[in-house]
Amino acid sequence: MAPNHETQGQIADIVHTAEDKARDAARALEGNPIGLVAGGLAVGAIAGILIPRSAKEKELLAPVGRTIAERARSAVGAAREAGYQALDERGLTKNAARDQVKSLFQGLTEAVQTAGAAAAASARNKG
C-alpha cells in the first residue's frame, strides 16, 4: 500500500524537522568543543555502565581499579590533612572555636547583667 499525500507530507515534515535539529546541534557543537568532549565522555561512561563486562575484562581491569581507588583515597587524605593544617595555622581549631564561643557567651551574659542592673537602677531612681 503506497502512502497517501497526507502521510508523505507528515514524513517530509519529520525529515525537515530532524534536519533542522541536526544543523542546530552541529552549530552548537562547533561553538562549544568542550561540550562535545564532555558529552562524548558522558555517553561513553553510560555505555560502560550499561554494557556488562566479560570475565577477561574484569581480570584485566581489577588491578587498575584498585590502583585508582588507592590513589583517590591517598589524594583525599592528603587534601584533608592539608585543610586541617591550614585551619590550624590560622588558629581555627576545635578548641579555639570552643573558647571563642565560651568567651562570646560570657560577654553576652555580662552585657545582659549590666543592662538589667542599669534598668533596675533607673526604675528605682524614677520611683
Side-chain angles (χ1 to χ4, degrees):
M1 176 174 170
N4 62 28
H5 291 296
E6 185 178 325
T7 304
Q8 288 175 344
Q10 291 173 341
I11 293 171
D13 287 344
I14 291 170
V15 169
H16 182 69
T17 301
E19 288 172 345
D20 287 345
K21 289 187 184 218
R23 270 190 234 101
D24 291 344
R27 276 189 234 114
L29 292 175
E30 287 173 0
N32 188 4
I34 294 174
L36 176 63
V37 171
L41 289 173
V43 168
I46 291 169
I49 291 169
L50 295 177
I51 298 171
R53 289 188 193 158
S54 68
K56 187 66 173 175
E57 286 175 312
K58 289 178 184 177
E59 177 187 331
L60 293 173
L61 295 176
V64 174
R66 282 191 293 275
T67 301
I68 290 171
E70 289 170 12
R71 288 182 181 172
R73 279 192 293 277
S74 176
V76 167
R80 180 183 301 130
E81 186 60 35
Y84 285 143
Q85 185 177 2
L87 290 172
D88 192 41
E89 289 171 1
R90 289 165 180 79
L92 300 172
T93 62
K94 285 182 184 180
N95 291 335
R98 187 179 317 119
D99 292 344
Q100 289 287 349
V101 169
K102 184 178 177 181
S103 175
L104 177 64
F105 184 73
Q106 287 173 344
L108 287 172
T109 302
E110 290 173 10
V112 168
Q113 288 173 348
T114 302
S122 176
R124 277 192 300 266
N125 290 338
K126 290 187 179 189

